[in-house]
Amino acid sequence: MSSSADRAVNSGIVNGGISFWFADDGLPAVREPLTGDATADVVIVGGGYTGLWTAYYLKKAAPFLRITVLEQKFCGYGASGRNGGWLYNGVAGRDRYAKLHGHEAAVRLQRAMNDTVDEVIRVAAEEGFEADVHKGGVLEVARTPAQLARLKAFHEQELAYGEKDRELYGARQTAERIRVADAVGSAWTPHGARLNPAKLVKGLAAAVEALGVTVHEATPVTEIRPKHAVTPYGTVRAPYVLRCTEGFTASLKGQRRTWLPMNSSMIATEPLTDEQWKAIGWDGRETLGDMAHAYMYAQRTADGRIALGGRGVPYRFGSRTDNDGRTQAETVEALRDVLVAFFPVLAGVRVAHAWSGVLGVPRDWCATVTLDRTTGLGWAGGYVGSGVATTNLAARTLTDLVQLDSGQGGPTPLTALPWAGHKVRKWEPEPLRWLGVQGMYATYRTADRREALTHSARSSRLARAADRVAGRG
């Protein structure tokens, strides 16, 4: 399409405003901030999925605990309210954990993740969260020979990690599920569901409060130290201080290089017509991804839109984060180009909303859960974009670690998972950090273009080199 045509179909975009999910469901009323020094048995820093799930399971396990959650804006302001709504069984770092702890340890982690998808759905139903959950599984498509080779290797790898109920499709079977242009194959797993992220986090925050957990919003924590969570309005003292801040971790004192805040951007279309959906298919409402190096992710929303995401500006110098999710026009156009490449029939569809958010990336790309028994400091995160389900498993693991340390419980299968206590080195200082991330994603995009042009079944050497530099290989 020409630039003038692009502007015509994209006019009137709501850009930012946290995310489409909040624009659709409404911003929550902000809870009262902390009003002075306080004490608790456990203080949780961060009111996203990790913090709220941890508060939920801790309070369920030990109702007598005095638990306080401190959130800088409002619950779900970060990745928990901005993500793609993929509740699925992916976990960052599984292959590395297999190398460090053995294949069977990684299989146990994967099985726990498979079960976690159903655990989130169970709690949402039990607590009455109306989160637009639809368990249609995850469909990942290949659109070039190199992507198809990676897809088949990925499929075999998942089978080796014990996922026996997944399926591999050719071009015809893929088209029967969803008509993606140039799709040459796909793989499907039942361990995935689509949901509305904002509705889930709102419901979870309400459930936590109903259990008796104290939630203070508009209360930024500036420093965490043993037994202290420091804010401009007072300090909360507690034997356990749990950091659940994911992509916003770098804003805490001494944490600038702990996890890199990687930027991801999304668009949501206007509602599609029945005729457009008939042309596309997607009746199973699977979450949709691809095997590109600079990959996309999408869902068919409950109100009949396509919400689609990918990398825009991947990283801001100095580990900075945005304010309200506003997204550069070039990123919106790039994501719209992906949408039309996948579904040419949607060339005239208007993009209604665009937004961005940050996810937490450790230096070795491994999600971790840790409790330091000498200080009472704990943390969970580094989900690298797979946090909708992983936060739940991480929170249950962190809950069991606190129970174990406090003498209220013993070792559990979760405390024995290979991610418990995993240590990661810090990211490089600036400007090396910024140069490395910018170069990495520029290389991935170049690799995707080369694979599309050459039609080779071999993955680009550029992508393999970028993986090694990034610490992913």
Side-chain angles (χ1 to χ4, degrees), residues 383-403:
Y383 308 119
V384 195
S386 299
V388 180
T390 315
T391 49
N392 179 278
L393 181 61
R396 287 186 283 129
T397 305
L398 193 53
T399 293
D400 286 2
L401 289 171
V402 171
Q403 292 279 92

Side-chain angles (χ1 to χ4, degrees), residues 26-290:
L27 290 175
V30 177
R31 294 171 175 86
E32 290 296 319
L34 184 70
T35 57
D37 292 344
T39 60
D41 297 312
V42 180
V43 58
I44 296 170
V45 180
Y49 290 149
T50 305
L52 293 173
W53 279 125
T54 302
Y56 179 85
Y57 286 108
L58 266 175
K59 195 67 172 175
K60 284 278 194 177
F64 56 85
L65 286 177
R66 298 173 302 145
I67 302 172
T68 296
V69 175
L70 302 175
E71 163 56 39
Q72 68 162 334
K73 297 285 188 178
F74 57 82
C75 291
Y77 171 80
S80 298
R82 306 191 197 191
N83 62 79
W86 272 47
L87 177 71
Y88 85 118
N89 66 339
V91 57
R94 184 190 62 187
D95 292 348
R96 187 177 295 271
Y97 287 132
K99 292 177 183 177
L100 293 173
H101 301 279
H103 180 74
E104 186 53 38
V107 169
R108 287 189 286 107
L109 179 59
Q110 186 59 66
R111 286 175 178 160
M113 277 304 311
N114 295 349
D115 293 340
T116 294
V117 173
D118 291 327
E119 169 66 6
V120 173
I121 294 172
R122 181 194 68 80
V123 174
E126 184 178 283
E127 297 289 349
F129 305 164
E130 295 295 336
D132 299 336
V133 177
H134 181 88
K135 191 180 180 186
V138 181
L139 186 72
E140 292 173 286
V141 301
R143 300 178 64 236
T144 67
Q147 288 185 24
L148 183 61
R150 287 197 295 275
L151 177 79
K152 291 178 177 178
F154 169 73
H155 178 74
E156 291 301 318
Q157 185 180 44
E158 297 306 292
L159 293 177
Y161 280 110
E163 195 183 325
K164 303 302 184 186
D165 46 2
R166 61 183 296 112
E167 299 173 2
L168 186 66
Y169 304 135
R172 180 181 58 80
Q173 292 168 300
T174 300
E176 289 172 356
R177 281 184 171 265
I178 182 170
R179 285 179 279 284
V180 172
D182 302 321
V184 292
S186 63
W188 176 82
T189 172
H191 302 293
R194 169 222 68 196
L195 55 75
N196 180 311
K199 289 183 179 180
L200 178 63
V201 76
K202 286 181 177 181
L204 186 54
V208 162
E209 274 196 315
L211 289 172
V213 173
T214 299
V215 180
H216 290 298
E217 296 180 323
T219 305
V221 173
T222 56
E223 181 182 2
I224 293 174
R225 58 177 186 263
K227 299 179 172 57
H228 296 76
V230 181
T231 84
Y233 312 120
T235 297
V236 181
R237 293 171 173 81
Y240 296 100
V241 182
L242 309 180
R243 190 187 79 223
C244 303
T245 48
E246 193 58 359
F248 290 85
T249 300
S251 64
L252 293 165
K253 183 177 180 180
Q255 303 294 332
R256 178 73 66 181
R257 293 164 53 198
T258 299
W259 288 336
L260 186 140
M262 186 77 75
N263 195 62
S264 195
S265 300
M266 293 196 71
I267 58 172
T269 68
E270 62 186 347
L272 304 188
T273 65
D274 291 343
E275 290 74 18
Q276 288 167 328
W277 282 122
K278 186 176 180 179
I280 292 170
W282 211 345
D283 296 332
R285 291 166 173 76
E286 307 91 339
T287 56
L288 175 68
D290 74 347

Side-chain angles (χ1 to χ4, degrees), residues 2 12 26 44 47 71 86 167 210-211 229 308 316 359 363 435:
S2 67
I44 296 170
E71 163 56 39
W86 272 47
E167 299 173 2
L211 289 172
L308 180 147
R316 291 178 173 85
L359 49 100
R363 189 61 184 88
L435 290 170

